[in-house]
C-alpha cells in the first residue's frame, strides 16, 4: 500500500511536509539513501549491531518507565 496525501486549498507546501513526515516515519527515505551506495558486509554487521543495541536500550528504558524504577 502506498502513501497518500491530500492537497487541501491548493496548499502544496503543507502537503509536502506531511508526505515527508510520513516517509520518515515509514523509513522510506532511510532505505532509499542506504540503497544508493554499496555497503561493505563488515560495515553492515557493525550498523546492525548498533541498531540492535539501540533498540534493546530503548525497550529497557520503556520497561523501567512502565515499572516505575
Amino acid at each position: 500500500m502506498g502513501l497518500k496525501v491530500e492537497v487541501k486549498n491548493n496548499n502544496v507546501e503543507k502537503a509536502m511536509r506531511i508526505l515527508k513526515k510520513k516517509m520518515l516515519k515509514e523509513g522510506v527515505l532511510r532505505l532509499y539513501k542506504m540503497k544508493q551506495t554499496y555497503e561493505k558486509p563488515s560495515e553492515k554487521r557493525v550498523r546492525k549491531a548498533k541498531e540492535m543495541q539501540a533498540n534493546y536500550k530503548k525497550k529497557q528504558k520503556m520497561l523501567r518507565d512502565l515499572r516505575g524504577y
Side-chain angles (χ1 to χ4, degrees), residues 37-53:
T37 59
Y38 176 74
E39 185 177 23
K40 292 180 7 183
S42 60
E43 292 173 350
K44 187 182 286 190
R45 277 193 305 273
V46 169
R47 179 182 51 80
K48 286 191 176 196
K50 285 182 181 180
E51 287 176 0
M52 289 184 348
Q53 284 178 347

Side-chain angles (χ1 to χ4, degrees), residues 3-69:
L3 297 173
K4 185 176 180 181
V5 177
E6 293 183 19
V7 178
K8 297 179 181 177
N9 298 327
N10 291 329
N11 197 348
V12 178
E13 290 83 18
K14 186 173 182 178
M16 291 296 291
R17 283 192 302 250
I18 293 170
L19 177 65
K20 186 176 179 181
K21 284 182 184 180
K22 284 186 177 185
M23 289 175 67
L24 285 172
K25 188 175 182 182
E26 293 287 326
V28 175
L29 292 177
R30 187 171 147 260
L31 288 175
Y32 175 72
K33 287 180 182 180
M34 285 175 52
K35 298 276 184 183
Q36 282 185 335
T37 59
Y38 176 74
E39 185 177 23
K40 292 180 7 183
S42 60
E43 292 173 350
K44 187 182 286 190
R45 277 193 305 273
V46 169
R47 179 182 51 80
K48 286 191 176 196
K50 285 182 181 180
E51 287 176 0
M52 289 184 348
Q53 284 178 347
N55 288 336
Y56 178 77
K57 287 181 181 181
K58 183 178 178 181
K59 286 181 183 178
Q60 291 300 317
K61 184 179 184 292
M62 287 174 55
L63 286 174
R64 269 188 269 122
D65 292 345
L66 183 66
R67 293 179 183 150
Y69 60 87

